[in-house]
């Protein structure tokens, strides 16, 4: 349940923050949200990845539709004519990696700074 809430929260806050701050601010958002939720590193990475992948793919698709694929077709020509949907998915993948690594970093940072109990073994 925490995974789903974290994923939705990262997606929504990245959308809102992305309206006002540069694109890389989504890593900071994912970092803070993951630090608050304290999931394990891999689920935290997947949460950030899925949220930002879905967000950036949707935004790239909506921009592509609004501009009648003008820019996408020109960029596709540069990359030897790959389909438009591939460019949209590549955009989502790059954003997803940024969000995933930001979320994993947040979880690992909390693990690093949290005091560990030292177990002493006496024989």
């Amino acid at each position: 349940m925490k995974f789903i809430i974290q994923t939705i929260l990262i997606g929504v806050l990245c959308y809102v923050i992305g309206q006002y701050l540069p694109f890389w601010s989504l890593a900071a958002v994912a970092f803070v949200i993951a630090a608050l939720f304290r999931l394990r590193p891999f689920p935290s990475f997947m949460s950030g990845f899925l949220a930002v992948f879905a967000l950036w793919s949707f935004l790239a698709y909506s921009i592509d539709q609004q501009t009648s694929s003008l820019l996408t077709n020109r960029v596709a020509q540069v990359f030897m004519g790959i389909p438009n949907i591939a460019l949209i998915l590549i955009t989502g993948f790059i954003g997803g990696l940024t969000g995933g690594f930001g979320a994993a970093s947040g979880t690992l940072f909390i693990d690093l700074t949290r005091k560990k109990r030292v177990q002493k073994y006496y024989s």
Side-chain angles (χ1 to χ4, degrees):
M1 188 65 171
K2 286 173 74 174
F3 176 83
I4 295 170
I5 294 171
Q6 179 176 332
T7 304
I8 292 170
L9 197 57
I10 289 173
V12 169
L13 287 178
C14 282
Y15 177 74
V16 171
I17 297 294
Q19 300 296 317
Y20 304 105
L21 296 176
F23 74 93
W24 51 265
S25 61
L26 66 96
V29 170
F31 182 94
V32 170
I33 298 299
L36 293 174
F37 276 80
R38 295 184 183 181
L39 293 177
R40 304 213 24 96
F42 183 72
S44 186
F45 173 84
M46 289 306 295
S47 173
F49 181 86
L50 291 174
V52 179
F53 176 82
L55 174 67
W56 275 29
S57 295
F58 172 74
L59 290 175
Y61 179 75
S62 65
I63 291 169
D64 183 56
Q65 294 301 311
Q66 290 173 359
T67 60
S68 302
S69 302
L70 291 175
L71 181 61
T72 312
N73 289 333
R74 291 183 185 194
V75 172
Q77 289 174 354
V78 171
F79 290 108
M80 296 174 278
I82 63 174
N84 291 354
I85 191 70
L87 288 174
I88 292 169
L89 293 177
I90 290 169
T91 301
F93 183 75
I94 292 170
L97 285 177
T98 306
F101 285 130
S105 297
T107 299
L108 291 171
F109 179 75
I110 290 299
D111 288 346
L112 181 69
T113 58
R114 188 183 319 159
K115 284 187 176 180
K116 303 278 183 177
R117 290 185 182 176
V118 178
Q119 295 181 348
K120 295 182 180 181
Y121 295 101
Y122 297 104
S123 29

